[in-house]
Amino acid sequence: MLGERLEQVLKLIVEEYIKNAKPVGSSSICDVLNCSSATVRNDMAELESFGLLEKTHISSGRVPSEKGYRYYVDNLMEPKDMTGEEMLKLQQIFHNNSLQISDVINKSLEIISEMTNYTSVILGNASKENKLKQVEVLPLENNNLIAIVITDKGHVEHKNLFIDASISLDEVKRTTDLINKLLIDTPIDEVSEKLEFEIKPIIGKYVRQHEALYNAFYNVFNDFANRNSMHFVGKTNILNEPEFNNAEKIKSLISKFEDSNIVNSIEEKEDGIHVYIGSENSLDDDVTIIKTRYKIDGEEGTIAIVGPKRMQYDKVVSLLEFLNTNIDK
Amino acid sequence: MLGERLEQVLKLIVEEYIKNAKPVGSSSICDVLNCSSATVRNDMAELESFGLLEKTHISSGRVPSEKGYRYYVDNLMEPKDMTGEEMLKLQQIFHNNSLQISDVINKSLEIISEMTNYTSVILGNASKENKLKQVEVLPLENNNLIAIVITDKGHVEHKNLFIDASISLDEVKRTTDLINKLLIDTPIDEVSEKLEFEIKPIIGKYVRQHEALYNAFYNVFNDFANRNSMHFVGKTNILNEPEFNNAEKIKSLISKFEDSNIVNSIEEKEDGIHVYIGSENSLDDDVTIIKTRYKIDGEEGTIAIVGPKRMQYDKVVSLLEFLNTNIDK
DNA sequence: AGTTGTCACTCGAAAGTTTAGAGTGCTAGA
DNA sequence: TCTAGCACTCTAAACTTTCGAGTGACAACT
């Protein structure tokens, strides 16, 4: 635990740097603290020895280190009240009944991205609350089939299948009927399992090529349960931050946005609001990602706000808290 | 029509500049032409007076102007044979039967993007060859319905609908049955029209709230026919070209890639291979876009290769021609 | 013991200078 | 019509200068 003035100094430096993106000198904060710049310099040197501040060169002002941001977020940050206008804009979305429920998240994040000028990512999939409502299989030309899976919350997934010519449509239909009879109302994440232990033994008896058919359905359900939808809002916003003013950094970040591995960097498994500063996230050492899970109607997933390490932590956290508490209604 | 040596000079300058991205000086091409650099200088001055070449400053070498590239593409460019390896890679995709047909285009463009280091865009939608195969409407919770449209080529589109409480499920079912009976096998782009003139009068008779129901279906079909899928391959490739080595250019181009208006800049309406140099395209004055339409099984659309104006025109055109002639098989 | 004023010192960013080399236009002669 | 040669221009890179913001250290003060 740091002394009181040390904390004050750290807090002021972090907030000043967040505002101006320029190293903070001792003189710029000494009047707030009612002490001389020499005193502040001593404190700064101490904070630096703790690894909370860094210098860009020997005679420069100080910049928060990752550890410094972390200390700020954990101990010093105060919630920042939203302005009335900001609240109003979000409330309007929550109370707009004509919106498809699944659009509420998107619209909210458009507003948040606009207000903060950071990039948002929505990573969602059909939630476990979805139950299987219907399976449909239609024959297409030359041994192609299309399988359609529908859940009670209105999620639809389809997949084209190629089935060996030796399987008759009649056999397909029997299998489909069986699934529809036995698996309806099964939570979507349990379907694969039930398919294996309840359906497979039965179709084995009276469908000749049951392995192929079973595999086809298994794949469809599996794809459904694992299918992620990812969606960026304001993808280029973060590029306007001064830390991304050179071509290499921009290219590197944009490449990471395009990479399919990004799912791993974005997904959040635990409830609550989580802040990943710099190397704490697996996307890019130069960014901070603030994440939270959401669940709305039949869909759940992760909301992530991607900004510079020099992010307005207080504002983003407040916005996400507001979103979290209002989304259920 | 230019004189023969003038054309030679222009061709050499364009090709040299495409290769090195550096202004071309007279001495670097005079040995190829067996004449002195002074002669070449005179020719260059003449080409500049025609607006085919430009200088970056008073004593610099020459760079092709847009008009220069245009002249090159229209009159001077020679088809560039693909290497055996390149052909092989593409052939493998065409002959890989385990691929979903709709993936053939994607895979091919992945190869092409990799070979050229440019960015490809695929803009596709369900082709007019798709015929309506089935319409399905399922009731969800509180007055929501989900409507699913399936075509004979295996395209599926679905849409959530909110229907006034006063419409009974029975009425919905009658309408659906009617559509399935009367519109099956109708080409997808004619469905809206038929719906209006053949179905609407009938449902009007025995469905009370027929307007609402009719509108719901009309929207679903309309969305289907107009739904575009757009998909980039190697989105960041073009950023590695030396003309995009500054942050502003990159940001501007990436923003344009994200903008939904990009569809208008990408879509090609006519058959054949078309080259849009710099200001000839509506996307960005600094890029060239080479486009061609494709049609494969139940899907058609535009393939576009986006590169710098200093693009390997011969190579890209050859690749697209190869794709065009081989795609049908 | 903690705080302050002072001063020599460091460094970076911006502006200016120098230099080398690539390339040009022009002109006179083949 | 082409060529050789020359004076000239301009850029890019390297180097220098200057300015000011900021520091660390230390002695003096409370």
Side-chain angles (χ1 to χ4, degrees):
Chain A
M1 198 64 184
L2 296 172
E4 183 162 359
R5 198 185 57 221
L6 281 181
E7 290 203 333
Q8 275 300 310
V9 171
L10 179 57
K11 181 159 184 274
L12 285 168
I13 290 178
V14 171
E15 289 173 354
E16 176 79 7
Y17 186 64
I18 286 176
K19 204 188 279 175
N20 298 324
K22 289 191 195 121
V24 182
S26 53
S27 61
S28 66
I29 55 173
C30 59
D31 15 344
V32 186
L33 291 166
N34 278 319
C35 64
S36 77
S37 69
T39 310
V40 177
R41 275 205 295 284
N42 289 336
D43 289 349
M44 283 175 155
E46 202 174 343
L47 288 167
E48 186 175 353
S49 77
F50 296 150
L52 297 167
L53 293 181
E54 284 169 355
K55 283 194 272 200
T56 60
H57 60 87
I58 189 113
S59 72
S60 74
R62 299 306 207 290
V63 162
S65 68
E66 265 179 33
K67 201 172 157 193
Y69 285 122
R70 170 53 58 203
Y71 194 95
Y72 171 78
V73 169
D74 290 344
N75 304 299
L76 307 176
M77 180 174 72
E78 294 162 41
K80 172 162 182 172
D81 289 340
M82 297 166 60
T83 68
E85 194 192 357
E86 288 170 346
M87 278 183 145
L88 197 66
K89 276 194 175 177
L90 285 174
Q91 298 275 14
Q92 277 172 351
I93 290 178
F94 296 141
H95 295 149
N96 182 343
N97 285 324
S98 71
L99 280 177
Q100 289 283 338
I101 288 183
S102 59
D103 283 340
V104 170
I105 295 279
N106 289 349
K107 289 283 179 199
S108 308
L109 284 183
E110 278 172 25
I111 304 280
I112 290 181
S113 275
E114 193 191 316
M115 292 191 307
T116 60
N117 255 300
Y118 302 136
T119 298
S120 321
V121 192
I122 303 149
L123 179 65
N125 57 19
S127 85
K128 298 177 168 54
E129 284 174 11
N130 280 274
K131 292 178 185 151
L132 187 63
K133 185 172 180 72
Q134 185 164 342
V135 173
E136 186 117 356
V137 176
L138 294 172
L140 303 173
E141 297 153 335
N142 38 20
N143 291 321
N144 278 301
L145 300 178
I146 187 160
I148 302 174
V149 177
I150 304 154
T151 73
D152 61 341
K153 300 282 191 183
H155 279 262
V156 177
E157 197 85 2
H158 65 96
K159 194 174 171 111
N160 291 56
L161 304 173
F162 183 80
I163 288 277
D164 195 289
S166 63
I167 300 183
S168 74
L169 286 183
D170 194 48
E171 287 171 310
V172 174
K173 180 148 191 342
R174 270 193 303 218
T175 310
T176 316
D177 287 346
L178 202 62
I179 291 176
N180 272 325
K181 200 190 282 176
L182 295 181
L183 296 189
I184 290 296
D185 281 339
T186 308
I188 199 69
D189 56 331
E190 296 171 19
V191 169
S192 291
E193 199 183 337
K194 269 203 172 181
L195 188 70
E196 180 167 0
F197 295 113
E198 298 182 16
I199 306 291
K200 195 179 176 190
I202 307 183
I203 58 173
K205 285 184 196 153
Y206 60 119
V207 175
R208 276 178 307 152
Q209 295 253 357
H210 70 277
E211 274 289 349
L213 208 48
Y214 165 77
N215 283 335
F217 276 109
Y218 188 86
N219 286 335
V220 174
F221 287 123
N222 227 28
D223 278 13
F224 195 114
N226 296 319
R227 163 78 137 246
N228 283 319
S229 76
M230 190 166 61
H231 171 207
F232 283 81
V233 181
K235 193 185 265 183
T236 59
N237 282 10
I238 188 179
L239 303 181
N240 293 318
E241 296 291 336
E243 25 274 278
F244 294 95
N245 61 356
N246 86 66
E248 286 314 309
K249 283 252 176 69
I250 295 185
K251 278 193 244 173
S252 142
L253 190 58
I254 289 288
S255 301
K256 286 171 182 167
F257 281 173
E258 300 302 318
D259 190 336
S260 58
N261 277 336
I262 193 182
V263 172
N264 302 320
S265 305
I266 294 299
E267 191 174 23
E268 175 62 56
K269 312 230 165 174
E270 289 179 30
D271 283 343
I273 294 176
H274 300 266
V275 179
Y276 301 93
I277 301 164
S279 60
E280 294 172 2
N281 72 68
S282 58
L283 182 69
D284 189 304
D285 286 355
D286 290 328
V287 307
T288 281
I289 311 184
I290 303 188
K291 307 182 194 173
T292 189
R293 287 195 65 76
Y294 74 91
K295 185 184 282 191
I296 186 169
D297 204 31
E299 179 155 328
E300 65 179 314
T302 304
I303 290 171
I305 313 285
V306 183
K309 280 193 286 190
R310 197 184 50 77
M311 192 187 234
Q312 298 171 65
Y313 292 94
D314 48 5
K315 183 164 187 179
V316 173
V317 169
S318 298
L319 283 169
L320 289 183
E321 265 166 6
F322 184 80
L323 199 64
N324 260 352
T325 56
N326 283 268
I327 217 167
D328 304 334
K329 303 170 198 173
Chain B
M1 199 61 187
L2 297 172
E4 181 161 1
R5 200 186 54 222
L6 281 181
E7 290 202 332
Q8 274 299 308
V9 171
L10 179 57
K11 181 159 185 274
L12 286 167
I13 290 178
V14 170
E15 289 174 353
E16 176 79 8
Y17 186 63
I18 285 175
K19 203 188 283 174
N20 298 325
K22 292 197 191 110
V24 182
S26 53
S27 60
S28 66
I29 55 173
C30 59
D31 16 345
V32 187
L33 291 166
N34 278 320
C35 63
S36 78
S37 67
T39 311
V40 178
R41 277 206 293 283
N42 289 335
D43 290 348
M44 283 174 156
E46 201 174 345
L47 288 167
E48 186 176 353
S49 77
F50 296 150
L52 297 168
L53 293 180
E54 284 169 354
K55 283 195 274 202
T56 60
H57 61 88
I58 190 111
S59 72
S60 75
R62 301 305 208 288
V63 162
S65 68
E66 264 179 33
K67 202 172 157 193
Y69 285 121
R70 171 53 59 201
Y71 192 95
Y72 171 78
V73 169
D74 290 344
N75 305 298
L76 307 176
M77 180 173 73
E78 294 162 42
K80 171 159 183 175
D81 290 339
M82 297 166 60
T83 67
E85 196 193 354
E86 289 171 345
M87 280 183 142
L88 197 65
K89 276 194 174 177
L90 286 173
Q91 299 273 16
Q92 277 172 352
I93 291 178
F94 297 141
H95 295 149
N96 182 344
N97 285 325
S98 71
L99 280 179
Q100 289 283 338
I101 288 182
S102 59
D103 283 339
V104 169
I105 296 279
N106 289 350
K107 289 281 177 200
S108 307
L109 284 184
E110 277 172 27
I111 304 281
I112 290 181
S113 275
E114 193 190 317
M115 291 190 308
T116 59
N117 255 299
Y118 302 137
T119 298
S120 320
V121 192
I122 304 148
L123 179 66
N125 56 20
S127 84
K128 298 178 169 55
E129 283 173 14
N130 279 273
K131 291 177 185 151
L132 187 63
K133 185 170 179 77
Q134 186 163 342
V135 174
E136 186 116 357
V137 176
L138 293 172
L140 302 173
E141 297 153 336
N142 38 20
N143 291 321
N144 278 301
L145 300 178
I146 188 161
I148 301 173
V149 177
I150 305 153
T151 73
D152 62 340
K153 300 282 190 183
H155 279 262
V156 177
E157 197 85 1
H158 66 96
K159 194 173 172 109
N160 290 57
L161 303 172
F162 184 80
I163 288 278
D164 194 290
S166 62
I167 301 183
S168 74
L169 285 182
D170 194 48
E171 287 172 310
V172 174
K173 181 153 192 338
R174 271 193 302 219
T175 311
T176 315
D177 287 346
L178 202 62
I179 291 176
N180 272 326
K181 201 190 280 175
L182 295 181
L183 296 189
I184 290 297
D185 280 339
T186 308
I188 199 70
D189 56 331
E190 296 171 18
V191 169
S192 293
E193 199 182 337
K194 270 202 172 181
L195 187 71
E196 180 167 3
F197 296 112
E198 299 183 15
I199 306 291
K200 196 180 177 189
I202 307 182
I203 59 173
K205 284 184 197 153
Y206 61 118
V207 175
R208 278 178 304 150
Q209 296 253 358
H210 69 278
E211 275 289 349
L213 208 50
Y214 165 77
N215 283 336
F217 276 109
Y218 189 87
N219 285 335
V220 174
F221 287 125
N222 228 28
D223 279 12
F224 194 113
N226 296 319
R227 163 78 138 249
N228 282 319
S229 76
M230 189 164 63
H231 170 207
F232 284 81
V233 181
K235 193 185 263 182
T236 59
N237 281 10
I238 188 179
L239 304 181
N240 292 319
E241 296 291 335
E243 25 275 278
F244 293 95
N245 61 356
N246 86 67
E248 286 314 310
K249 282 254 176 69
I250 294 184
K251 280 193 243 172
S252 142
L253 190 58
I254 290 288
S255 302
K256 285 170 182 168
F257 280 174
E258 299 303 318
D259 189 337
S260 57
N261 277 337
I262 194 182
V263 172
N264 303 318
S265 305
I266 294 298
E267 191 175 24
E268 175 62 54
K269 312 230 165 176
E270 290 178 30
D271 283 343
I273 294 176
H274 301 267
V275 178
Y276 300 93
I277 301 163
S279 60
E280 295 172 4
N281 73 69
S282 58
L283 183 69
D284 189 304
D285 286 357
D286 290 328
V287 307
T288 282
I289 310 184
I290 303 188
K291 305 180 193 173
T292 189
R293 287 194 65 76
Y294 74 90
K295 185 183 282 189
I296 187 168
D297 205 31
E299 176 154 332
E300 65 180 314
T302 303
I303 290 170
I305 313 285
V306 183
K309 280 193 286 190
R310 195 184 51 76
M311 191 186 235
Q312 297 173 65
Y313 292 93
D314 48 5
K315 182 164 187 181
V316 173
V317 169
S318 297
L319 283 170
L320 289 183
E321 265 166 8
F322 184 80
L323 199 63
N324 260 353
T325 57
N326 284 268
I327 216 166
D328 305 334
K329 302 168 199 171

